[in-house]
Short mmCIF file of all heavy atoms in Angstrom, two decimals:
data_model
loop_
_atom_site.label_atom_id
_atom_site.label_comp_id
_atom_site.label_asym_id
_atom_site.label_seq_id
_atom_site.Cartn_x
_atom_site.Cartn_y
_atom_site.Cartn_z
N THR I 105 -0.98 9.61 13.30
CA THR I 105 0.23 10.48 13.54
C THR I 105 0.11 11.76 12.73
O THR I 105 -0.84 11.88 11.94
CB THR I 105 1.53 9.76 13.11
OG1 THR I 105 1.60 9.87 11.68
CG2 THR I 105 1.53 8.29 13.48
N ASP I 106 1.04 12.69 12.99
CA ASP I 106 1.03 13.90 12.21
C ASP I 106 1.35 13.62 10.75
O ASP I 106 1.11 14.51 9.90
CB ASP I 106 2.12 14.85 12.75
CG ASP I 106 1.80 15.31 14.13
OD1 ASP I 106 0.64 15.15 14.61
OD2 ASP I 106 2.71 15.85 14.87
N LEU I 107 1.84 12.46 10.43
CA LEU I 107 2.17 12.08 9.05
C LEU I 107 0.99 11.41 8.42
O LEU I 107 1.02 11.09 7.19
CB LEU I 107 3.39 11.14 9.02
CG LEU I 107 4.66 11.74 9.56
CD1 LEU I 107 5.69 10.57 9.83
CD2 LEU I 107 5.24 12.74 8.65
N GLY I 108 -0.02 11.08 9.20
CA GLY I 108 -1.20 10.35 8.70
C GLY I 108 -1.35 9.04 9.42
O GLY I 108 -0.74 8.80 10.44
N ASP I 109 -2.27 8.24 8.90
CA ASP I 109 -2.52 6.92 9.56
C ASP I 109 -1.46 5.88 9.14
O ASP I 109 -1.28 5.66 7.93
CB ASP I 109 -3.91 6.43 9.14
CG ASP I 109 -5.02 7.35 9.69
OD1 ASP I 109 -4.76 8.00 10.70
OD2 ASP I 109 -6.11 7.40 9.09
N ILE I 110 -0.81 5.31 10.10
CA ILE I 110 0.23 4.35 9.88
C ILE I 110 -0.09 3.11 10.68
O ILE I 110 -0.24 3.21 11.95
CB ILE I 110 1.58 4.90 10.23
CG1 ILE I 110 1.91 6.17 9.45
CG2 ILE I 110 2.70 3.82 9.97
CD1 ILE I 110 3.23 6.78 9.77
N ASP I 111 -0.16 1.96 10.04
CA ASP I 111 -0.37 0.71 10.72
C ASP I 111 0.92 -0.07 10.80
O ASP I 111 1.58 -0.29 9.76
CB ASP I 111 -1.47 -0.15 10.00
CG ASP I 111 -2.84 0.46 10.07
OD1 ASP I 111 -3.01 1.53 10.76
OD2 ASP I 111 -3.74 -0.09 9.48
N LEU I 112 1.23 -0.44 12.04
CA LEU I 112 2.51 -1.18 12.29
C LEU I 112 2.14 -2.64 12.47
O LEU I 112 1.42 -2.93 13.46
CB LEU I 112 3.27 -0.64 13.51
CG LEU I 112 3.49 0.86 13.58
CD1 LEU I 112 4.21 1.24 14.90
CD2 LEU I 112 4.34 1.32 12.39
N ILE I 113 2.58 -3.48 11.62
CA ILE I 113 2.23 -4.88 11.71
C ILE I 113 3.48 -5.67 12.07
O ILE I 113 4.47 -5.65 11.33
CB ILE I 113 1.65 -5.40 10.34
CG1 ILE I 113 0.54 -4.51 9.84
CG2 ILE I 113 1.22 -6.84 10.45
CD1 ILE I 113 -0.68 -4.41 10.74
N GLY I 114 3.41 -6.33 13.19
CA GLY I 114 4.57 -7.18 13.63
C GLY I 114 4.36 -8.64 13.39
O GLY I 114 5.32 -9.41 13.43
N ASP I 115 3.11 -9.00 13.10
CA ASP I 115 2.82 -10.40 12.86
C ASP I 115 1.57 -10.52 12.00
O ASP I 115 0.54 -9.91 12.34
CB ASP I 115 2.62 -11.17 14.14
CG ASP I 115 2.31 -12.63 13.92
OD1 ASP I 115 3.08 -13.31 13.20
OD2 ASP I 115 1.22 -13.07 14.33
N LEU I 116 1.68 -11.22 10.90
CA LEU I 116 0.49 -11.49 10.07
C LEU I 116 0.66 -12.93 9.54
O LEU I 116 1.53 -13.14 8.69
CB LEU I 116 0.52 -10.46 8.89
CG LEU I 116 -0.86 -10.22 8.20
CD1 LEU I 116 -1.92 -9.74 9.14
CD2 LEU I 116 -0.66 -9.21 7.12
N SER I 117 -0.15 -13.80 10.14
CA SER I 117 0.14 -15.19 9.81
C SER I 117 0.04 -15.53 8.34
O SER I 117 0.79 -16.40 7.89
CB SER I 117 -0.85 -16.08 10.62
OG SER I 117 -2.17 -15.69 10.30
N ALA I 118 -0.77 -14.81 7.61
CA ALA I 118 -0.90 -15.10 6.15
C ALA I 118 0.43 -14.82 5.41
O ALA I 118 0.70 -15.38 4.36
CB ALA I 118 -2.01 -14.26 5.58
N LEU I 119 1.25 -13.96 5.98
CA LEU I 119 2.49 -13.54 5.30
C LEU I 119 3.68 -14.24 5.90
O LEU I 119 4.75 -14.27 5.26
CB LEU I 119 2.67 -12.03 5.38
CG LEU I 119 1.62 -11.16 4.59
CD1 LEU I 119 2.00 -9.71 4.72
CD2 LEU I 119 1.56 -11.60 3.14
N GLY I 120 3.61 -14.74 7.10
CA GLY I 120 4.77 -15.42 7.74
C GLY I 120 5.57 -14.41 8.55
O GLY I 120 5.11 -13.28 8.81
N GLN I 121 6.78 -14.84 8.85
CA GLN I 121 7.69 -13.97 9.65
C GLN I 121 8.26 -12.85 8.80
O GLN I 121 8.19 -12.92 7.56
CB GLN I 121 8.85 -14.81 10.21
CG GLN I 121 8.38 -15.95 11.12
CD GLN I 121 7.75 -15.39 12.41
OE1 GLN I 121 8.36 -14.60 13.10
NE2 GLN I 121 6.47 -15.85 12.71
N PHE I 122 8.88 -11.88 9.44
CA PHE I 122 9.42 -10.70 8.75
C PHE I 122 10.35 -11.11 7.61
O PHE I 122 10.26 -10.62 6.47
CB PHE I 122 10.14 -9.74 9.69
CG PHE I 122 10.76 -8.59 8.97
CD1 PHE I 122 9.98 -7.47 8.62
CD2 PHE I 122 12.09 -8.61 8.63
CE1 PHE I 122 10.55 -6.44 7.96
CE2 PHE I 122 12.66 -7.52 7.94
CZ PHE I 122 11.83 -6.41 7.55
N HIS I 123 11.26 -12.06 7.90
CA HIS I 123 12.22 -12.41 6.91
C HIS I 123 11.56 -13.08 5.65
O HIS I 123 12.05 -12.91 4.50
CB HIS I 123 13.30 -13.38 7.47
CG HIS I 123 12.84 -14.71 7.84
ND1 HIS I 123 12.33 -15.00 9.07
CD2 HIS I 123 12.79 -15.88 7.15
CE1 HIS I 123 11.98 -16.28 9.08
NE2 HIS I 123 12.25 -16.80 7.95
N GLU I 124 10.43 -13.71 5.89
CA GLU I 124 9.70 -14.30 4.73
C GLU I 124 9.02 -13.24 3.92
O GLU I 124 8.99 -13.30 2.67
CB GLU I 124 8.65 -15.30 5.27
CG GLU I 124 9.21 -16.49 6.00
CD GLU I 124 8.14 -17.31 6.67
OE1 GLU I 124 7.77 -17.00 7.78
OE2 GLU I 124 7.75 -18.33 6.06
N VAL I 125 8.49 -12.22 4.62
CA VAL I 125 7.83 -11.13 3.89
C VAL I 125 8.89 -10.32 3.12
O VAL I 125 8.68 -9.95 1.95
CB VAL I 125 7.14 -10.17 4.94
CG1 VAL I 125 6.45 -9.01 4.17
CG2 VAL I 125 6.14 -10.92 5.71
N ALA I 126 10.08 -10.12 3.75
CA ALA I 126 11.09 -9.42 3.05
C ALA I 126 11.60 -10.17 1.84
O ALA I 126 11.89 -9.62 0.80
CB ALA I 126 12.27 -9.20 4.03
N ALA I 127 11.64 -11.51 1.98
CA ALA I 127 12.10 -12.34 0.85
C ALA I 127 11.06 -12.30 -0.30
O ALA I 127 11.43 -12.48 -1.47
CB ALA I 127 12.36 -13.77 1.30
N ASP I 128 9.81 -12.07 0.05
CA ASP I 128 8.73 -12.09 -0.97
C ASP I 128 8.39 -10.62 -1.26
O ASP I 128 7.21 -10.30 -1.48
CB ASP I 128 7.53 -12.79 -0.41
CG ASP I 128 6.53 -13.16 -1.53
OD1 ASP I 128 6.85 -12.96 -2.72
OD2 ASP I 128 5.44 -13.67 -1.19
N SER I 129 9.37 -9.79 -1.31
CA SER I 129 9.10 -8.35 -1.61
C SER I 129 9.92 -7.91 -2.81
O SER I 129 10.81 -8.62 -3.24
CB SER I 129 9.43 -7.52 -0.41
OG SER I 129 10.79 -7.48 -0.16
N VAL I 130 9.51 -6.79 -3.36
CA VAL I 130 10.32 -6.21 -4.48
C VAL I 130 10.84 -4.84 -4.01
O VAL I 130 10.19 -4.18 -3.19
CB VAL I 130 9.46 -6.04 -5.77
CG1 VAL I 130 9.13 -7.41 -6.38
CG2 VAL I 130 8.15 -5.29 -5.43
N CYS I 131 11.96 -4.47 -4.55
CA CYS I 131 12.49 -3.12 -4.23
C CYS I 131 11.97 -2.15 -5.29
O CYS I 131 12.21 -2.35 -6.48
CB CYS I 131 14.02 -3.14 -4.25
SG CYS I 131 14.71 -3.51 -2.65
N LEU I 132 11.28 -1.15 -4.86
CA LEU I 132 10.73 -0.18 -5.82
C LEU I 132 11.26 1.25 -5.54
O LEU I 132 11.43 1.61 -4.35
CB LEU I 132 9.20 -0.11 -5.72
CG LEU I 132 8.35 -1.31 -6.27
CD1 LEU I 132 6.89 -0.93 -6.23
CD2 LEU I 132 8.76 -1.56 -7.72
#
Side-chain angles (χ1 to χ4, degrees):
Chain I
T105 77
D106 294 346
L107 299 165
D109 293 335
I110 301 176
D111 291 357
L112 309 179
I113 309 298
D115 180 57
L116 200 59
S117 55
L119 294 183
Q121 299 295 306
F122 177 81
H123 68 273
E124 295 171 277
V125 181
D128 195 7
S129 67
V130 290
C131 270
L132 286 187

